[in-house]
């Protein structure tokens, strides 16, 4: 049975059982404490916590998930995947244990002709929490399982919580016996390779407290949930493994074709005798390229932190694994195309957005191939330093630096070290990696522990959502529903206090969709307050952060909430301007230039978009002109409401990672010219935007560019400031503005000519210095020595070149040249040794070690040439003496 069919049967089964099918949420998590959606229940978390109302009491989904905590185990074992699909059914206060067990048993064991999976009931085992007699009884009554195939386990295995105080409960896991060839008898408690877990049913009935210790289950149960819930998760890939009769998930229908492509590209065979190392690499390729492709499809772009860093690591580990398989040419375009074909039947966005996905992957691959080149140079320096220091190992800190700053995989460092006859301090590297992970975990834990208590906000939301009137008016009468500070309800607040205010109705726009919150005032009969910020809770409750200016505000007060009209005008201009620039961008560059984020506030807009190269001045000018022509045409701006399907039919553009309600708001500018899903405030006609002036364009990550622009009166001010600057420069150069380009070109040409003349003079000076220094060589132990501190500027910034030139003048005899140049409180030096001196036992690196401490420095290199620097120019004379002493001692030997 194909994986897509397994997925379809799951959703069909639960839809027939009265569940509402909800689509998979994005892999980009809305939870600020995690980077990705890591479990099937993660999108349901607000419903379990009471922060939001579920669309139905019964819900089912197949959720895309990514976990990278065990990324280093991917491929090494056949169990670990970074991307997986978790099928789940959820009950919010509806059915409980009996219903969950019945639904699962029917799907797992029903005949395939009836829509089930057709597993042999006699090979099913289950586990329950050690004290959950009810679940054990229900498995006997509902499923007819004999007691000997119902095993009890402790809280570490069969009790679930979110890891923080809140909902929790016992769970029951379903296992399938794969047969004696996979391990020993005795059920899941004896062998979880033979008895493979496929489904976990969580019976959410308790409220857990704070952890009492460091153990996973070391916390008290402090109460019972008022409404019992069900949360289940079935591993789609594990079910596919069993139903397709293969040994591991990498041999299922959605991964094995990727391995086959890697086999074709590399000429090597998966599963070949003695090929365990290659098998690991094939599995890494299959896992990582699938995960990376799906992350890009959900709007993630490679970067140096957060989600972008994880994606970058996945793509680069793919390239590295292919490199170890003997493929050094670019391969990601071919591999992502295979993923597109495999995954698009369930996730069609992978196919529709493939041109952008391919571009991001190919750009990152090219960048990594350049990184391998630059990282190799850094490795060469580190290897030279290790040898000059008499070490045979690359330090753990160097390996970690290559990994952390250059994206250099440890296995690449190990391979290059072995080729250079060196080892790597893997233990030191691992220690630094662990410290980095510990810091990340501590940061995550701190973020989890400092969330504001949402209890009171949920109680306010239970009274009904805030009515937003800001699309129709700038002033609204409302009632104070709640006043809160740090989640604590207050009956009243006075002058000077800053608190959260919740109204039943408000015209003030809450920050969303890249648009800043409105500024405004709250006025009552006895008080007034300024609005500092407006945010949403669960997208339905408007929370105003206010500072009371005078008087006293109390719950239940009648107030008037008003928007600053100038602020709103500027916000509308900027948000509509963002849509106009986006449409202009796509008109100039093509439909692949999709928005990847935005921010706008009065007078300013910022638009991030998917593109792999910088824009020329001509292209920027064209985008700016197309935008302003659209404004001059006075295009109508129309707001429509409809379903997501209707919006898609209109060609409306949705922002990656955004969550939309069942009814969406569609903003058209000029009919089909610009159609986007948007909840922001907008002008009625494009001419009301005013001028748009592009301020700049830059890269913010691999495959993502950023445009910034001034809008309306701020655009005029920006252009006026540029005009003033232009006239100032023209005045200084005593030229008309139109003559400035020619005048500046002429000045630049004269400057280049002067620099060439100066360089020629320096070359002459350096040549004279070479001759003079060579002629001044002294004999130290049978070796001609030139050791000198160069006057400031005479080295032309290159002591190494001068040292090798002088050595050339001393050709045919044992010679050592050591030059020192002091600049800005630092010293640079180079030591060049002739072949004859090297044959006599003189090594440049040994001489550096002898004198470098005198100038507070270090250096290294080859026996015939070494260089470095120091921090104490006053020690140069002592360094020369130390060099002479070391040379004398070497010659004496």
């Amino acid at each position: 049975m194909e994986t897509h069919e397994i997925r379809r049967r799951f959703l069909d089964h639960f839809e027939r059982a009265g569940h509402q099918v909800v689509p998979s949420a994005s892999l980009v998590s809305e939870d600020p404490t995690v980077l990705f959606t890591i479990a099937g229940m993660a999108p349901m978390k607000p419903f379990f916590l009471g922060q939001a109302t579920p669309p139905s009491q019964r819900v089912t989904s197949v959720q895309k998930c990514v976990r990278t905590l065990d990324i280093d185990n991917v491929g090494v074992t056949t169990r670990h995947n970074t991307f997986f699909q978790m099928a789940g059914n959820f009950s919010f206060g509806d059915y409980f244990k009996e219903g969950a067990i019945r639904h699962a048993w029917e799907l797992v064991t029903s005949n395939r002709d009836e829509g089930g999976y057709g597993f042999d009931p006699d090979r099913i085992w289950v586990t329950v929490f050690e004290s959950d007699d009810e679940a054990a009884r229900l498995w006997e009554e509902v499923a007819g399982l004999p007691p000997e195939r119902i095993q009890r386990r402790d809280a570490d295995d069969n009790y679930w919580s979110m890891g923080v105080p809140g909902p929790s409960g016992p769970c029951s896991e379903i296992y399938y016996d794969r047969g004696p060839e996979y391990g020993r008898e005795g059920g899941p408690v004896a062998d979880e390779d033979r008895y493979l877990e496929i489904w976990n049913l969580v019976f959410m009935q308790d409220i857990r407290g704070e952890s009492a210790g460091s153990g996973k289950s070391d916390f008290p149960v402090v109460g019972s949930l008022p409404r019992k819930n069900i949360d289940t998760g079935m591993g789609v890939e594990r079910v596919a493994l069993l139903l397709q009769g293969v040994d591991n998930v990498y041999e299922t229908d959605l991964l094995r074709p990727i391995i086959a492509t890697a086999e074709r590209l590399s000429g090597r065979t998966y599963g070949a005798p003695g090929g365990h190392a290659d098998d690991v690499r094939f599995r890494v390729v299959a896992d990582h390229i699938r995960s990376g492709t799906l992350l890009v499809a959900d709007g993630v772009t490679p970067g140096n932190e957060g989600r972008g860093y994880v994606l970058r690591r996945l793509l680069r580990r793919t390239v590295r694994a292919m490199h170890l398989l003997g493929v050094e040419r670019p391969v990601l375009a071919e591999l992502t195309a295979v993923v597109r074909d495999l995954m698009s039947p369930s996730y069609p966005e992978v196919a529709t957005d493939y041109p952008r996905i391919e571009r991001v992957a190919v750009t990152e691959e090219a960048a990594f191939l350049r990184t391998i080149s630059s990282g190799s140079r850094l490795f060469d320096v580190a290897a030279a330093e290790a040898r000059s220091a008499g070490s045979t190992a690359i330090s753990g800190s160097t390996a970690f630096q290559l990994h952390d700053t250059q994206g250099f995989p440890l296995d690449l460092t190990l391979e290059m070290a072995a080729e250079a006859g060196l080892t790597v301090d893997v233990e030191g590297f691992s220690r630094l990696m662990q410290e980095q992970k510990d810091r990340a975990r501590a940061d995550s834990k701190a973020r989890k522990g400092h969330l504001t208590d949402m209890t009171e906000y949920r109680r306010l939301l239970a009274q009904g959502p805030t009515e937003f009137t800001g699309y129709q008016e700038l002033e609204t009468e409302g009632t104070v529903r709640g006043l809160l500070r740090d989640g604590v309800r207050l009956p009243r607040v006075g002058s000077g206090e800053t608190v959260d205010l919740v109204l039943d109705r408000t015209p003030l726009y809450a920050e969303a969709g890249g648009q800043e919150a409105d500024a405004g005032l709250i006025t009552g009969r006895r008080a007034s307050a300024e609005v500092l910020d407006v945010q949403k809770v669960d997208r339905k409750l408007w929370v105003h952060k206010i500072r009371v200016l005078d008087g006293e505000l109390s719950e239940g007060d009648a107030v008037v909430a008003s928007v600053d009209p100038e602020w709103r005008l500027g916000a509308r201009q900027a948000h509509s301007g963002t849509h106009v620039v986006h449409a202009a961008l796509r008109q100039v560059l093509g439909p692949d230039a999709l928005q990847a984020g935005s921010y706008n506030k009065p007078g300013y807009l910022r638009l991030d978009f998917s593109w792999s190269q910088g824009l020329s001045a001509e292209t920027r000018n064209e985008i700016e002109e197309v935008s302003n022509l659209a404004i001059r045409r006075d295009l109508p701006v129309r707001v429509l409401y409809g379903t997501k399907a209707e919006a898609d039919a209109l060609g409306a553009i949705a922002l990656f990672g955004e969550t939309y309600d069942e009814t969406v708001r569609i903003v058209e500018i000029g009919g089909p010219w610009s159609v986007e899903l948007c909840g922001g405030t907008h002008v009625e006609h494009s001419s009301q935007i005013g001028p748009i002036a592009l301020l700049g364009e830059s890269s913010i990550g691999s495959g993502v560019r950023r445009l910034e622009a001034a809008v309306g009166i701020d655009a005029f001010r920006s252009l006026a400031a540029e005009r003033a600057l232009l006239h100032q420069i023209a005045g200084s150069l005593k030229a008309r503005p139109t003559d400035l380009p020619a005048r500046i070109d002429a000045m630049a040409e004269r400057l280049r000519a002067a620099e060439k003349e100066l360089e020629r003079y320096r070359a002459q000076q350096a040549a004279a210095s070479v001759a003079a220094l060579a002629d001044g060589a002294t004999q130290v132990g049978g070796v001609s020595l030139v050791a000198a501190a160069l006057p400031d500027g005479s080295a032309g910034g290159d002591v190494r070149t001068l040292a090798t030139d002088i050595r050339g003048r001393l050709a045919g005899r044992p010679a050592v040249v050591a030059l020192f140049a002091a600049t800005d409180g630092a010293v640079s030096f180079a030591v060049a040794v002739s072949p004859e001196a090297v044959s006599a036992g003189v090594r440049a690196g040994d001489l550096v070690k002898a004198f470098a401490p005198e100038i507070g420095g270090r250096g290294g290199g080859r026996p015939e040439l070494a260089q470095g620097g120091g921090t104490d120019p006053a020690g140069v004379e002592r360094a020369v003496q130390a060099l002479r002493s070391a040379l004398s001692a070497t010659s004496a030997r």
Side-chain angles (χ1 to χ4, degrees):
M1 187 182 295
E2 292 185 348
T3 303
H4 297 302
E5 176 65 11
I6 293 169
R7 183 180 182 276
R8 185 191 66 78
R9 286 183 180 227
F10 186 94
L11 297 175
D12 287 351
H13 172 76
F14 282 101
E15 187 173 29
R16 288 194 300 269
H19 293 66
Q20 179 173 331
V21 176
V22 297
S24 171
S26 170
L27 285 170
V28 177
S29 175
E30 291 188 347
D31 186 337
T33 66
V34 292
L35 295 176
F36 302 113
T37 301
I38 58 173
M41 66 79 60
M44 309 295 170
K45 187 175 175 181
F47 306 141
F48 288 124
L49 292 174
Q51 296 170 343
T53 303
S56 171
Q57 285 189 296
R58 297 185 178 196
V59 167
T60 186
S61 70
V62 177
Q63 175 61 46
K64 300 177 292 184
C65 303
V66 162
R67 293 181 190 168
T68 57
L69 186 62
D70 297 321
I71 189 172
D72 292 324
N73 287 323
V74 169
V76 178
T77 75
T78 55
R79 282 186 161 199
H80 288 88
N81 284 136
T82 52
F83 171 87
F84 58 95
Q85 301 174 85
M86 189 60 70
N89 57 289
F90 309 91
S91 167
F92 306 104
D94 189 12
Y95 61 83
F96 197 47
K97 290 182 185 179
E98 180 179 358
I101 290 171
R102 187 180 304 279
H103 289 313
W105 182 255
E106 288 175 354
L107 176 60
V108 167
T109 61
S110 290
N111 190 289
R112 294 187 185 185
D113 294 337
E114 299 170 354
Y117 294 142
F119 282 109
D120 182 354
D122 293 335
R123 298 176 71 174
I124 302 292
W125 290 65
V126 299
T127 60
V128 297
F129 183 48
E130 55 191 358
S131 62
D132 195 350
D133 297 333
E134 180 187 8
R137 175 180 57 79
L138 286 168
W139 277 114
E140 291 186 51
E141 294 177 357
V142 173
L145 280 176
E148 61 269 21
R149 282 197 274 131
I150 303 170
Q151 297 185 323
R152 298 181 185 244
R153 305 184 88 167
D154 63 17
D156 285 339
D157 289 303
N158 276 70
Y159 193 93
W160 178 91
S161 80
M162 294 183 185
V164 293
S168 63
C171 56
S172 180
E173 296 167 331
I174 303 175
Y175 293 80
Y176 186 76
D177 180 3
R178 304 171 73 190
E181 63 270 30
Y182 289 97
R184 56 198 175 99
E185 294 184 2
V189 298
D191 191 329
E192 289 198 9
D193 285 324
R194 171 174 172 171
Y195 301 90
L196 187 68
E197 179 193 345
I198 59 172
W199 206 335
N200 186 15
L201 315 178
V202 177
F203 309 130
M204 209 177 294
Q205 62 190 41
D206 302 326
I207 301 173
R208 61 153 284 188
E210 291 281 359
S211 293
S214 58
K216 175 185 173 183
S217 58
D218 195 4
F219 55 80
V221 173
V222 297
S224 298
L225 286 175
R227 295 177 59 187
K228 297 177 179 180
N229 304 312
I230 288 295
D231 156 29
T232 84
M234 187 194 81
V236 173
E237 282 75 14
R238 291 193 177 190
V239 172
L241 177 161
L242 295 171
L243 293 182
Q244 292 172 22
V246 295
D247 284 338
N248 61 70
V249 293
Y250 291 97
E251 296 173 7
T252 57
D253 61 327
L254 295 188
L255 283 174
R256 188 61 179 86
I258 305 175
I259 292 177
T261 302
E263 288 179 299
R264 175 177 57 79
L265 293 171
S266 67
R268 301 189 189 181
T269 303
Y270 178 72
H276 174 71
D278 277 356
D279 288 351
V280 171
R281 292 158 187 158
F282 279 121
R283 291 193 286 262
V284 166
V285 169
D287 173 89
H288 286 10
I289 196 60
R290 181 171 72 163
S291 299
T293 300
L294 288 160
L295 284 172
V296 177
D298 275 359
V300 182
T301 54
N304 290 326
E305 59 183 24
R307 300 181 182 96
Y309 177 76
V310 173
L311 172 59
R312 171 161 288 168
R313 191 176 180 204
L314 289 168
L315 294 178
R316 292 187 172 193
R317 280 172 61 94
T318 303
V319 175
R320 175 59 185 154
M322 290 299 293
H323 181 84
L324 292 172
L325 288 168
V327 184
E328 298 188 7
R329 68 175 180 84
V331 294
L332 292 194
E334 292 173 82
L335 291 172
T336 54
V338 177
V339 177
R340 172 199 61 200
D341 297 340
L342 291 171
M343 301 305 295
S344 57
S346 289
Y347 306 104
E349 64 272 16
V350 180
T352 56
D353 198 33
Y354 182 70
R356 183 187 63 83
I357 294 170
E358 181 189 43
R359 186 173 63 250
V360 170
V362 168
T363 300
E364 181 61 23
E365 181 176 32
F368 183 47
L369 293 175
R370 292 193 297 270
T371 289
I372 290 178
S373 176
S374 62
S376 297
R377 290 194 293 271
L378 289 176
F379 175 86
D380 290 341
V381 172
E385 289 184 353
R387 290 195 193 94
S388 67
S391 174
T392 60
I394 300 295
S395 69
S397 60
T398 298
F400 178 75
Q401 182 183 16
L402 283 166
H403 173 274
D404 200 45
T405 63
Q406 296 293 318
F408 229 52
L410 177 62
D411 56 2
L412 179 55
T413 305
L414 288 168
E415 181 182 298
M416 294 177 65
E419 291 170 353
L422 299 169
T423 60
V424 178
D425 178 11
V426 176
E427 185 177 336
F429 171 86
S430 299
R431 184 176 62 254
L432 291 169
M433 283 294 294
Q434 188 60 48
E435 289 174 1
Q436 186 183 66
K437 289 179 181 177
D438 290 343
R439 287 193 297 271
R441 287 194 186 101
D443 178 62
S444 176
K445 186 176 180 181
R447 283 182 288 160
K448 285 183 180 180
H450 289 84
L451 294 175
T452 299
D453 185 350
M454 301 299 293
T455 303
E456 294 298 335
Y457 295 94
R458 292 197 294 271
R459 287 175 178 164
L460 289 168
L461 182 55
Q463 299 176 25
T466 303
E467 180 186 350
F468 177 61
T469 63
Y471 293 139
Q472 299 84 30
E473 59 190 22
L474 299 183
E475 190 172 283
T476 297
E477 294 180 355
T479 302
V480 177
R481 271 195 190 169
L483 298 161
L484 306 96
R485 182 185 295 116
D486 297 328
V488 177
R489 199 86 163 256
L490 304 170
R492 64 187 62 81
V493 293
S495 179
E497 293 190 74
T498 299
V499 297
D500 287 349
L501 166 75
V502 176
L503 300 174
D504 60 341
R505 307 173 71 237
T506 182
L508 288 133
Y509 184 81
E511 181 181 356
Q515 181 177 327
E516 263 198 11
D518 278 333
L521 292 172
I522 306 293
T523 55
R525 186 172 57 83
R526 299 177 294 123
S528 64
E530 63 176 326
V531 178
L532 306 176
D533 189 22
V534 190
Q535 297 291 330
K536 295 181 193 176
V537 171
D538 188 34
R539 298 185 293 155
K540 296 177 182 177
L541 190 74
W542 267 241
V543 179
H544 310 70
K545 183 170 288 296
I546 64 166
R547 179 167 53 237
V548 181
L549 299 175
D550 57 69
E552 185 179 82
L553 272 175
S554 302
E555 274 198 25
D557 280 358
V559 295
V560 174
S562 56
V563 180
D564 181 336
E566 284 299 314
W567 179 279
R568 174 62 74 82
L569 173 61
R572 293 166 67 206
Q573 290 175 316
H575 205 147
S576 296
T578 303
H579 286 219
V580 166
V581 171
H582 188 201
L585 188 73
R586 289 164 56 77
Q587 179 174 320
V588 173
L589 298 181
D592 288 346
L594 274 174
Q595 179 178 329
S598 67
Y599 169 72
N600 51 76
K601 63 179 182 179
Y604 171 84
L605 69 85
R606 184 179 76 206
L607 179 70
D608 301 337
F609 61 100
S610 302
W611 203 249
S612 57
Q613 58 190 23
L615 305 183
S616 66
E618 292 78 11
T619 300
R620 294 196 300 271
N621 288 340
E622 186 177 358
I623 292 167
E624 188 177 60
E625 182 174 2
V626 170
S627 299
N628 283 293
L629 284 173
I631 290 168
R632 192 182 72 169
R633 286 167 56 200
D634 196 26
L635 299 174
V637 178
R638 189 167 67 129
V639 175
L640 308 170
Y641 292 88
T643 65
K644 182 66 165 57
E646 290 169 338
D648 292 341
L650 289 173
I653 297 171
L655 187 63
F656 285 119
E658 279 290 310
T659 302
Y660 297 98
D661 294 323
E662 195 170 322
T663 300
V664 296
R665 188 170 184 262
I666 307 160
V667 176
E668 285 186 351
I669 300 178
W673 187 70
S674 170
V675 188
E676 298 192 29
L677 301 187
C678 182
T681 60
H682 289 273
V683 298
E684 283 80 32
H685 293 269
S686 63
S687 61
Q688 295 170 337
I689 296 170
I692 290 176
L694 294 188
L695 303 175
E697 183 263 342
S698 60
S699 170
I700 62 167
S702 178
V704 182
R705 310 291 300 181
R706 171 169 289 173
L707 276 175
E708 296 178 87
V711 187
I713 191 65
D714 287 87
F716 171 77
R717 289 169 181 154
S718 174
L719 295 171
E722 288 186 6
R723 182 177 60 189
L725 179 62
L726 180 68
H727 284 292
Q728 182 182 349
I729 295 171
S732 298
L733 297 180
K734 295 182 173 55
R736 293 180 299 178
T738 53
D739 295 335
L740 280 178
R743 178 68 63 86
I744 291 172
D745 285 345
M747 291 176 63
E749 185 58 39
R750 290 198 298 272
L751 180 60
R752 283 191 290 269
E755 287 175 344
K756 288 181 180 178
E757 181 65 21
L758 180 59
E759 190 58 37
R760 186 177 65 80
Y761 169 74
R762 283 177 175 164
Q764 292 173 347
Q765 186 183 43
S769 298
V770 167
L773 290 169
D775 291 341
T778 60
Q779 294 297 309
V780 177
V783 175
S784 297
L785 172 65
V786 175
L790 301 174
D792 287 348
S794 63
D798 192 351
V799 292
R800 172 176 171 157
T801 300
L802 281 179
T804 54
D805 286 350
I806 295 170
R807 181 181 62 184
R809 293 243 178 187
L810 301 174
R813 50 178 158 160
V816 172
V817 180
L819 301 181
F820 300 83
T823 307
D824 297 330
V827 185
S828 59
F829 63 79
V831 179
V833 181
S834 69
E836 294 78 8
V838 172
S839 298
V842 180
R843 301 286 188 272
D846 295 338
L847 297 176
V848 168
K849 282 190 282 186
F851 69 72
E854 302 295 340
I855 56 173
R858 58 181 296 190
R862 304 185 303 276
E864 65 274 11
L865 182 64
Q867 64 188 90
T871 58
D872 184 10
V876 170
E877 187 174 338
R878 297 193 303 274
V880 171
Q881 292 303 319
L883 170 64
R884 287 179 174 275
S885 299
L887 186 58
S888 295
T890 302
S891 301
R893 292 198 298 272

